Amino acid sequence: MAKMAVMEGSHAIAEAARVCRPSVVSAYPITPQTHIVEDLSAMIANGELTNCEYVRTESEFSAASVIQGAQAAGVRTFSATSSQGAVLMYEVLFSIAGMRLPCVLAMANRAVSSPINIWNDHQDAISARDNGWIQLWAEDNQEAADMIIQAYKIAEDHRVTLPVMVNFDGFQVTHLYEPVEVYDQKMVDEFLPPYDPLFKLDPKDPVTMGALAQPEYYTEARYMVHAAQITAKPIIEDVAREFGRKFGRFKGGLIDTYKMEGAEVALVAMGSILGTMKDAVDEMRSAGIPVGIVKIRTYRPFPVEALRAALKGVKVVCVLDRNISLGMEGAVFVETKAALYNASESPTMLGFIIGLGGRDITVRDIKGIVDKGYKKIGGERVSELEWYQLDRNILPEGI
Amino acid sequence: MKEIRIHGRGGQGSVTAAELIAVAAFEDGKWSQAFPYFGTERRGAPVTAFARISDQPIRIRSQIYEPDYVIVQDPSLIPAVDVASGMKENGLLIINTEKKPSELKIHTSATVKTLDATALALEVIGVPIVNTSLLGAFAGATKAIRIESINKAIRDRFPGKIADKNVAAVKRAYEMMEG
Amino acid sequence: MAEKMRLTIGLVTKPGTTMQYHTGGWRTYRAVINQEKCIGCRRCADSCPDGAPFECAHDGKKKKFCVNYDYCKGCGICAYECPVDAIDMAVEEK
């Protein structure tokens, strides 16, 4: 077994980025991403990450533009952001995906203003779901770091050639210390070969990138990004398995399941909440309650077939969303429902909005959600969508 | 699993104390976890940090509501923060104060131990940074982590002379709590 | 309508593809350069959105410019810019 050390999540992620040997790192600091880019900046300054330039910018828009340009010039890049910073990047993120530049972006998930809130939820990445980036979602420090390495392999695969966003919870991962395996550079080099761009800007062999596409070409251009997302599904699985063989850690490709054998109620979620959910499920299983978990590890491309297979035979599915598509429901809930609607067997679906803006999620919360699932099975009225932790007492009268 | 909650003020090293517990416990061969709950970070504002120590890998990431141990870095927090909130009955609170436990208005059935870590830190380290002294007291009172592991964690984290002084403070506090 | 081109990943294209677009078919007027007046200053070529004017002769003292009618779309910018009024916009005979 490789050497382990207690590491802050941010440091583990910076370490993972370092061993992938990026040539250009550009980022603008924002809580809770800050420690990641501070660490990388120090690594470059101290000579621990060589042949790499850290480009300081005045905004996230510029940082995203720097990695876009550098990637177009044919080198591996890294950036990281959160929340408002991600929102400021959105325009460039669309452009990077459309131009099929395999950038890797670490996203320390955080709530989006207003009101201003520095704590964790998933709104920043969820609101970026349509921009063509592959989205991976990590549960803990180890998985977040491992996903960075896998992200490059997925992104740079010539059959994919899409950017990948690695998501992990702000504070619950970025600021949490726990044991993490220290990477062996040689093993990472064996797993991740040097970047071989499908195309690049080269004065000796000029090309045009990012040109206008008229109506007779735009549909096809968008279809090609979509097709690459769909093509990526088995490749994401393959890369996860290959990583598992190399490093001895496999946490699923598109989804992962936990104690789904004979489950009547299934919980579906993404991110660091999974650890707390597993403890809650262990307690409930010990008490004879057949409940299991489906963890969404890849949110884009959305794992429709994998979810259909994993949730087959379940009576009630409870989806936990740390985001809200205002005016509708949580995004994971909406999409899980959509994935199962035309399936041969479609379980009853309940959605729960939970953990917004850093509100803590406890084992008791998880058990309460499972109770709602059982109430539904028992024929009681349960609303399809519940803002689970909503404190109605502090709302203005009449709401 | 043992759960530890640390109450302090911004700038007192509560987060570092939690980190050192996690590093030391891992050094002891246990699994561990540490994380802060930040308010809007600023010096002097109440800060809470958490640590967990277990024989099994730790998955839970919620805050700690029913701690086995609580460490209070600053007695001025006691009127403002319910430091004993959710304490396990057989739990232990370690409070930095010159007062005796009986002089403090803390409503808990858990054990309360006090030491004047500020005086100790001023004497041994020369600055009123009490986090390492309180770690020594914690190890002495609970034996939840080994003092050698705390010392190693401190030496990994801080340069020579600063580490030496903190290790000396750990030893003094450890012995005070043991004795 | 020209035949549609085959797309590539990322729509990366080789430069010079505008050569395939013969914008000359759009024009109502055609730019005609009076070689007697032309002083070879190149302003017509530099200001043309399609790069239609090109150096076609030299009288020993000055360069002379002609127009590639595959690309001249008759906008008249060259005639406006020409410092010696050497360019006429003539009605295209169709």
Side-chain angles (χ1 to χ4, degrees):
Chain A
M1 192 167 158
K3 186 176 177 291
M4 292 190 87
V6 173
M7 245 185 255
E8 195 190 35
S10 292
H11 187 64
I13 290 157
E15 273 294 302
R18 181 182 67 80
V19 294
C20 291
R21 304 181 185 274
S23 298
V24 173
V25 174
S26 187
Y28 189 82
I30 180 169
T31 300
Q33 153 265 37
T34 317
H35 293 180
I36 299 169
V37 295
E38 281 176 355
D39 279 353
L40 279 163
S41 175
M43 287 169 187
I44 294 167
N46 297 339
E48 297 161 59
L49 173 52
T50 52
N51 299 317
C52 181
E53 185 176 354
Y54 188 102
V55 183
R56 284 179 294 171
T57 56
E58 87 296 351
S59 76
E60 285 86 355
F61 185 92
S62 304
S65 301
V66 166
I67 62 161
Q68 178 178 28
Q71 197 82 36
V75 299
R76 190 175 282 161
T77 66
F78 180 80
S79 188
T81 194
S82 285
S83 183
Q84 307 309 120
V87 175
L88 190 52
M89 280 188 179
Y90 281 171
E91 180 181 341
V92 188
L93 298 186
F94 270 89
S95 179
I96 288 172
M99 286 170 67
R100 307 294 295 275
L101 298 169
C103 299
V104 169
L105 175 70
M107 184 81 103
N109 300 116
R110 169 185 147 182
V112 178
S113 298
S114 275
I116 190 165
N117 177 294
I118 62 166
W119 296 274
N120 164 257
D121 69 28
H122 295 169
Q123 200 68 53
D124 49 9
I126 290 294
S127 296
R129 69 180 181 179
D130 297 333
N131 61 19
W133 284 59
I134 287 171
Q135 285 196 13
L136 306 179
W137 286 77
E139 169 181 344
D140 55 26
N141 295 12
Q142 185 75 66
E143 191 177 27
D146 290 350
M147 269 183 182
I148 297 286
I149 298 172
Q150 292 176 42
Y152 283 107
K153 186 124 174 160
I154 296 162
E156 294 171 6
D157 188 305
H158 284 188
R159 295 165 292 175
V160 178
T161 317
L162 280 178
V164 178
M165 182 187 297
V166 176
N167 293 280
F168 43 86
D169 286 337
F171 294 106
Q172 281 95 327
V173 169
T174 57
H175 286 60
L176 183 138
Y177 288 82
E178 64 183 351
V180 172
E181 279 197 23
V182 179
Y183 293 112
D184 178 281
Q185 181 70 62
K186 188 167 160 284
M187 281 171 73
V188 175
D189 287 344
E190 286 162 5
F191 177 78
L192 181 70
Y195 177 40
D196 171 27
L198 193 59
F199 45 78
K200 63 175 178 179
L201 294 174
D202 179 358
K204 291 194 210 81
D205 181 21
V207 292
T208 299
M209 289 187 191
L212 172 140
Q214 290 153 306
E216 59 265 40
Y217 293 112
Y218 189 80
T219 299
E220 288 71 20
R222 298 304 282 167
Y223 175 77
M224 285 160 70
V225 178
H226 174 72
Q229 284 263 347
I230 302 306
T231 302
K233 285 187 189 181
I235 294 166
I236 292 166
E237 300 262 31
D238 288 347
V239 167
R241 273 192 291 270
E242 191 188 334
F243 188 90
R245 283 194 297 275
K246 185 85 192 162
F247 295 90
R249 294 188 294 276
F250 177 74
K251 293 195 173 186
L254 299 171
I255 64 164
D256 197 11
T257 59
Y258 185 75
K259 301 203 170 170
M260 281 298 290
E261 304 77 26
E264 291 176 341
V265 172
L267 301 168
V268 176
M270 314 196 290
S272 69
I273 187 180
L274 265 299
T276 305
M277 285 166 63
K278 286 173 187 172
D279 276 15
V281 162
D282 280 3
E283 284 184 30
M284 287 182 281
R285 280 277 182 175
S286 303
I289 303 167
V291 51
I293 297 171
V294 175
K295 160 178 157 182
I296 294 181
R297 199 174 167 277
T298 304
Y299 177 64
R300 279 294 178 277
F302 196 68
V304 173
E305 303 81 4
L307 283 172
R308 282 184 182 180
L311 295 171
K312 200 167 186 192
V314 168
K315 289 181 181 160
V316 171
V317 176
C318 298
V319 181
L320 285 67
D321 269 292
R322 286 187 115 158
N323 72 85
I324 172 69
S325 179
L326 298 165
M328 186 50 184
E329 296 163 336
V332 183
F333 181 44
V334 170
E335 299 193 8
T336 306
K337 276 196 291 187
L340 268 62
Y341 186 76
N342 282 336
S344 52
E345 289 175 57
S346 187
T348 302
M349 310 278 294
L350 300 175
F352 298 88
I353 304 299
I354 192 166
L356 298 190
R359 189 163 301 184
D360 199 27
I361 300 169
T362 63
V363 166
R364 186 179 300 169
D365 289 328
I366 306 300
K367 288 179 172 175
I369 285 170
V370 173
D371 282 348
K372 297 268 178 179
Y374 272 98
K375 282 196 173 123
K376 185 76 186 173
I377 292 173
E380 287 183 49
R381 270 179 69 119
V382 179
S383 59
E384 186 176 350
L385 177 74
E386 181 172 348
W387 286 64
Y388 191 70
Q389 297 166 317
L390 187 70
D391 183 357
R392 292 196 177 274
N393 295 322
I394 62 171
L395 294 174
E397 277 183 40
I399 292 177
Chain B
M1 183 156 68
K2 295 294 181 192
E3 296 187 310
I4 303 134
R5 193 170 67 208
I6 302 172
H7 294 282
R9 292 189 181 278
Q12 289 181 334
S14 306
V15 180
T16 304
E19 176 195 340
L20 291 171
I21 289 173
V23 172
F26 186 67
E27 184 68 25
D28 283 345
K30 304 266 180 62
W31 294 89
S32 61
Q33 178 195 69
F35 60 102
Y37 179 74
F38 282 117
T40 39
E41 298 99 317
R42 61 198 193 280
R43 216 170 177 82
V47 166
T48 312
F50 306 96
R52 290 186 169 100
I53 302 172
S54 175
D55 294 329
Q56 305 295 324
I58 300 166
R59 300 178 303 198
I60 190 167
R61 276 170 137 74
S62 59
Q63 292 168 28
I64 292 168
Y65 300 93
E66 294 171 5
D68 297 275
Y69 308 119
V70 164
I71 297 170
V72 181
Q73 303 226 74
D74 187 337
S76 74
L77 286 166
I78 291 171
V81 179
D82 182 7
V83 295
S85 171
M87 281 291 304
K88 291 206 176 79
E89 279 197 18
N90 58 352
L92 172 69
L93 279 103
I94 298 171
I95 299 169
N96 169 29
T97 172
E98 71 274 22
K99 292 181 184 163
K100 294 193 185 98
S102 57
E103 295 173 86
L104 298 168
K105 288 178 188 146
I106 295 178
H107 305 288
T108 179
S109 47
T111 307
V112 179
K113 291 195 175 189
T114 63
L115 83 160
D116 191 348
T118 306
L120 176 67
L122 281 171
E123 185 196 328
V124 180
I125 309 173
V127 289
I129 302 294
V130 297
N131 58 354
T132 47
S133 302
L134 285 164
L135 283 188
F138 170 71
T142 66
K143 302 290 191 296
I145 38 177
R146 289 165 61 239
I147 187 168
E148 294 82 4
S149 299
I150 297 177
N151 291 344
K152 183 170 186 306
I154 289 172
R155 291 195 186 285
D156 286 348
R157 182 74 158 70
F158 299 104
K161 271 191 181 167
I162 297 171
D164 289 343
K165 287 179 180 175
N166 279 282
V167 164
V170 167
K171 184 166 185 287
R172 281 274 297 276
Y174 184 91
E175 287 165 355
M176 282 164 73
M177 278 292 156
E178 258 199 325
Chain C
M1 179 82 206
E3 197 181 325
K4 279 177 142 186
M5 52 177 180
R6 178 76 73 168
L7 297 176
T8 60
I9 303 294
L11 270 56
V12 173
T13 48
K14 286 286 171 190
T17 47
T18 50
M19 297 293 281
Q20 296 168 13
Y21 297 105
H22 289 191
T23 47
W26 304 359
R27 67 176 172 262
T28 307
Y29 295 96
R30 55 161 53 209
V32 180
I33 301 178
N34 182 335
Q35 300 285 341
E36 298 296 313
K37 288 187 178 175
C38 178
I39 57 170
C41 71
R42 237 199 117 73
R43 261 194 228 181
C44 53
D46 291 346
S47 58
C48 176
D50 289 78
F54 64 99
E55 188 187 328
C56 59
H58 203 288
D59 67 0
K61 283 189 268 180
K62 296 188 184 77
K63 292 172 185 170
K64 298 291 173 187
F65 279 77
C66 301
V67 176
N68 183 335
Y69 292 107
D70 282 349
Y71 303 104
C72 173
K73 59 190 176 192
C75 68
I77 290 174
C78 57
Y80 182 85
E81 291 291 335
C82 180
V84 293
D85 288 334
I87 304 176
D88 286 331
M89 298 307 294
V91 177
E92 179 73 23
E93 290 169 22
K94 294 204 173 173

